[in-house]
Amino acid sequence: MTIGRRPRRPAGAGDRPHHRRQGNSAPTADDRDAAVARLAGLRAMLGVLDLDPLDDHWTARTRKGYATADTIRDQLQQSGLAIEDTPSGPRRSLS
């Protein structure tokens, strides 16, 4: 390395600020749709393993385990999934 010369930047290093800006932007409707699709896929995988927390929530509600259902609902809400319990079943939304 010669004194006074700047070190070479790795290939693709110029793209980093662009990706940083994308990460700091507000989510769009397309981002929301993609997140909903990923959540549906994740629920399908968890359902195969009998580990779906949304099913656990509804099962607890139908068995009148309201404290357990409320705990599960609160944990899901902290993860960004809002659940409103209705007589016909839970209504879910991303918060």
Side-chain angles (χ1 to χ4, degrees), residues 46-87:
L46 290 172
V48 169
L49 299 171
D50 197 26
L51 297 173
D52 188 350
L54 297 176
D55 287 343
D56 293 343
H57 168 262
W58 188 245
T59 300
R61 294 280 305 168
T62 57
R63 292 183 180 163
K64 300 188 187 290
Y66 300 117
T68 302
D70 291 345
T71 300
I72 294 170
R73 184 191 64 223
D74 293 344
Q75 289 171 347
L76 290 169
Q77 192 162 7
Q78 288 175 357
S79 300
L81 180 64
I83 298 178
E84 178 185 353
D85 294 318
T86 68

Side-chain angles (χ1 to χ4, degrees), residues 31-48:
D31 295 333
R32 180 182 167 85
D33 293 343
V36 169
R38 279 189 229 120
L39 180 60
L42 179 60
R43 285 200 63 214
M45 287 186 285
L46 290 172
V48 169

